[in-house]
Amino acid sequence: MDRRKFLGTTALAGAGLVALPGCTTETRERVQQRADKRTDSVTAAGTVPAFEFDEVSVAALQKRMTDGSLTSVKLTDAYLARMDEIDSAGPKLRSVIERNPDARSIAEAMDKERAEGNVRGPMHGIPVLVKDNIDSADQMMTTAGSLAMVGTPAPKDAFILERLRAAGAVILGKTNLSEWANFRSSRSTSGWSGRGGQTRNPYVLDRNPCGSSSGTGSSIAASLAAVGVGTETDGSIICPSALCGIVGLKPTIGLVSRSGIIPISASQDTAGPMGRTVADVAVLLGAMAGEDPRDGATAASKGHVESDYTKFLDANALKGARIGVARNLAGFHPAADLAFETAIAALTNAGAIVVDPVNAPNLGQFDDAEMEVLLYEFKDGLNKYLAERGATVPHKSLAELIAYNTREAAAEMPYFGQELFERAEKKGTLGDAAYKKARALCLRLVRAEGLDRIFAQHKLDALVAPSNGPAWPTDHVNGDRYTGGNSSYAAIAGYPTITVPMGFATELPLGLSFLGTAWAEGRLIGLAHSFEQATKVRRPPRFLPTATTG
């Protein structure tokens, strides 16, 4: 999850919108001049060795393994060697917190199966990185980045890990993250964990990758694996995907199981796919989605799960689609505004029926209520998770974790504290009237009076808004300085959203979010793919050492 400061910044940015309806050439020039003055002039690119599998898609890798010119073992070895070059050395992205000692043996098994004529599907033999809050019953630990959780590996795979293994994926390793999915302190620095250190943004190394799925965003942008898995409570897939220039999909709550994932919120948590293209995300989602008896929320997905989301990859999907433009969710930065205008024009040129503007509710109406819900659900969910892990974790409750952090403050709290932990510990049970009132308010404002009303009133297929402003410099003294984002509506509603690259503020990626209503993943994948193919904005990172204000 991204901290509440992110939501506060988003609300303020929405109130200070720079509206550019019918943007003229003269207006565009003025906006570009402002952007040139306020965005970054970038230093020379860092030297990073060429890589055979840089930017190669899942489909292309699968094709090469099919024709015999590539094996899963060769691909796995290449990604591991690439980690040596640029993750633990060179630019030192620090995006991978632990490598899987079994990765090569899994790849060997997948190659053997292929040679025998048994190919499980489009993920067969494909290396995947997963976030370090997802249980894996192997030699790797599951710690949420916290030293307090270092010990014995989980006794059982998370359900989504079971699904990925069954699909033939090679679990390559665990990615670093904002410790405890960024729900320990309101002054935290995204991408930092006590166990993994600070993850860097591969586009400009002193800029933040956002969080909490920072390691997944950074590693996939840098081609350290074919695809990756992140988790989100509010922004933790969308923000790092956007700031790291990749595609990320936050599914409808219940489409993807949460069992075996260290929780924040039972009402908002979900895992989701992250990749360099919409097509890669579609492949991974098909391998992850499915009903799980261990997660009751997935019962609602019955009849909505697709085994193959690539069937929605239609380059003409935007033609005739009704797309609402949420102008009051822009205004983060002149460069982002300009990229948003260009994106709206691209939607129109692709044949979309653009409904402009469509105003979303003010985030400030439900910000406090959402935090109340998260504090209650975090305490309840984390204590249950720790109890289920039993002897494989050294601490059995949130209270014990607070005590550990206090004792080990030098290692665990060198930059920021644990005030969110402490606030959550003071909460009661989910039966409290305060919790029920806050949750009801969130649902009313975001669903009934928010997205449900907007989609019905304007007959929309999707709502679009900028995913983010440019990445900010990483700062362990002051913590994050978010430049804006629009993850909260879909997060609180439990609805899907997908971010796709829409432009750059010099070398800093900017994303466009497509929001939908429940179970609209297929439709959103089609629309995002159509936009991606029409614009082809993404370019690989250059590992620039810094960016200076012009």
Side-chain angles (χ1 to χ4, degrees), residues 9-290:
T9 303
T10 304
L12 292 173
L17 171 67
V18 179
L20 298 170
C23 193
T24 65
T25 301
E26 183 180 0
T27 305
R28 284 183 181 277
E29 289 174 353
R30 288 203 303 269
V31 171
Q32 186 62 66
Q33 288 169 3
R34 288 170 58 209
D36 290 342
K37 289 180 180 179
R38 293 174 58 187
T39 53
D40 306 304
S41 57
V42 187
T43 64
T47 301
V48 172
F51 182 48
E52 179 183 358
F53 301 107
D54 190 33
E55 299 289 302
V56 181
S57 69
V58 171
L61 294 171
Q62 198 62 246
K63 184 176 184 296
R64 287 188 57 185
M65 285 191 281
T66 299
D67 67 24
S69 62
L70 177 66
T71 65
S72 182
V73 167
K74 179 182 176 182
L75 182 59
T76 297
D77 286 346
Y79 282 134
L80 292 171
R82 185 64 164 176
M83 290 178 196
D84 288 336
E85 286 184 330
I86 68 171
D87 201 65
S88 53
K92 293 186 178 178
L93 296 179
R94 301 188 189 94
S95 63
V96 180
I97 203 169
E98 185 172 3
R99 303 182 197 185
N100 186 3
D102 301 324
R104 203 170 194 276
S105 63
I106 297 171
E108 288 173 347
M110 292 304 102
D111 285 337
K112 184 174 185 293
E113 285 190 14
R114 188 184 294 274
E116 294 169 350
N118 177 23
V119 177
R120 302 186 187 193
M123 286 299 298
H124 188 106
I126 299 294
V128 179
L129 285 166
V130 302
K131 189 174 177 181
D132 181 40
N133 60 350
I134 299 171
D135 286 349
S136 60
D138 48 27
Q139 298 184 63
M140 294 186 291
M141 292 181 287
T142 304
T143 68
S146 173
L147 297 171
M149 295 287 283
V150 171
T152 307
K156 183 177 176 62
D157 273 340
F159 183 76
I160 59 170
L161 257 290
E162 292 178 4
R163 296 274 301 171
L164 289 173
R165 292 190 202 276
V170 177
I171 308 303
L172 196 60
K174 298 281 187 79
T175 55
N176 198 13
L177 71 162
S178 309
E179 186 174 308
W180 292 108
N182 234 352
F183 203 75
R184 200 190 81 189
S185 171
S186 59
R187 295 182 59 83
S188 65
T189 299
S190 290
W192 183 90
S193 72
R195 185 177 171 221
Q198 180 64 54
T199 300
R200 291 175 162 181
N201 189 313
Y203 283 85
V204 179
L205 297 173
D206 66 357
R207 296 277 165 156
N208 200 270
C210 201
S212 65
S213 304
S214 46
T216 307
S218 179
S219 63
I220 301 307
S223 294
L224 298 185
V227 284
V229 179
T231 67
E232 173 160 331
T233 302
D234 188 336
S236 286
I237 290 172
I238 299 303
C239 188
S241 295
L243 265 62
C244 292
I246 63 172
V247 178
L249 189 148
K250 196 286 293 185
T252 304
I253 300 301
L255 186 71
V256 174
S257 170
R258 291 89 53 84
S259 65
I261 300 176
I262 298 175
I264 292 177
S265 165
S267 63
Q268 294 184 202
D269 284 354
T270 183
M274 299 166 69
R276 291 178 294 274
T277 66
V278 177
D280 286 353
V281 162
V283 171
L284 184 55
L285 180 62
M288 294 171 61

Side-chain angles (χ1 to χ4, degrees), residues 150-481:
V150 171
T152 307
K156 183 177 176 62
D157 273 340
F159 183 76
I160 59 170
L161 257 290
E162 292 178 4
R163 296 274 301 171
L164 289 173
R165 292 190 202 276
V170 177
I171 308 303
L172 196 60
K174 298 281 187 79
T175 55
N176 198 13
L177 71 162
S178 309
E179 186 174 308
W180 292 108
N182 234 352
F183 203 75
R184 200 190 81 189
S185 171
S186 59
R187 295 182 59 83
S188 65
T189 299
S190 290
W192 183 90
S193 72
R195 185 177 171 221
Q198 180 64 54
T199 300
R200 291 175 162 181
N201 189 313
Y203 283 85
V204 179
L205 297 173
D206 66 357
R207 296 277 165 156
N208 200 270
C210 201
S212 65
S213 304
S214 46
T216 307
S218 179
S219 63
I220 301 307
S223 294
L224 298 185
V227 284
V229 179
T231 67
E232 173 160 331
T233 302
D234 188 336
S236 286
I237 290 172
I238 299 303
C239 188
S241 295
L243 265 62
C244 292
I246 63 172
V247 178
L249 189 148
K250 196 286 293 185
T252 304
I253 300 301
L255 186 71
V256 174
S257 170
R258 291 89 53 84
S259 65
I261 300 176
I262 298 175
I264 292 177
S265 165
S267 63
Q268 294 184 202
D269 284 354
T270 183
M274 299 166 69
R276 291 178 294 274
T277 66
V278 177
D280 286 353
V281 162
V283 171
L284 184 55
L285 180 62
M288 294 171 61
E291 191 172 350
D292 174 16
R294 294 164 61 194
D295 181 0
T298 63
S301 71
K302 193 175 185 64
H304 298 291
V305 178
E306 301 283 351
S307 60
D308 180 10
Y309 284 91
T310 63
K311 68 183 182 182
F312 297 102
L313 298 171
D314 178 7
N316 296 312
L318 282 167
K319 189 173 183 179
R322 291 181 62 84
I323 308 295
V325 177
R327 287 192 175 275
N328 70 320
L329 300 184
F332 303 139
H333 191 283
D337 289 337
L338 186 62
F340 190 37
E341 288 301 321
T342 302
I344 295 166
L347 295 171
T348 301
N349 292 338
I353 301 167
V354 174
V355 184
D356 185 6
V358 172
N359 289 327
N362 189 320
L363 282 167
Q365 295 181 75
F366 51 78
D367 189 18
D368 290 342
E370 184 194 10
M371 175 52 79
E372 187 80 350
V373 169
L374 299 185
L375 291 168
Y376 270 98
E377 292 186 353
F378 178 66
K379 178 183 178 181
D380 178 78
L382 183 60
N383 284 340
K384 288 177 179 175
Y385 171 86
L386 294 171
E388 289 173 1
R389 282 285 303 268
T392 64
V393 289
H395 306 286
K396 304 301 189 292
S397 68
L398 176 57
E400 290 186 24
L401 290 170
I402 291 171
Y404 173 88
N405 289 339
T406 301
R407 289 194 307 271
E408 304 296 331
E412 268 297 330
M413 300 194 293
Y415 305 121
F416 52 87
Q418 58 177 341
E419 60 271 20
L420 292 182
F421 267 28
E422 292 164 351
R423 289 175 62 188
E425 176 59 24
K426 292 176 183 177
K427 295 298 181 183
T429 71
L430 300 188
D432 285 3
Y435 166 75
K436 293 179 179 179
K437 180 180 178 181
R439 179 62 181 151
L441 177 62
C442 284
L443 290 179
R444 176 171 63 81
L445 291 176
V446 178
R447 284 188 186 174
E449 298 177 12
L451 293 176
D452 292 349
R453 176 187 61 79
I454 289 169
F455 273 75
Q457 178 183 346
H458 299 285
K459 298 180 174 60
L460 300 179
D461 291 290
L463 185 71
V464 294
S467 302
N468 61 292
W472 57 94
T474 295
D475 182 351
H476 290 149
V477 176
N478 296 304
D480 286 331
R481 290 293 180 264

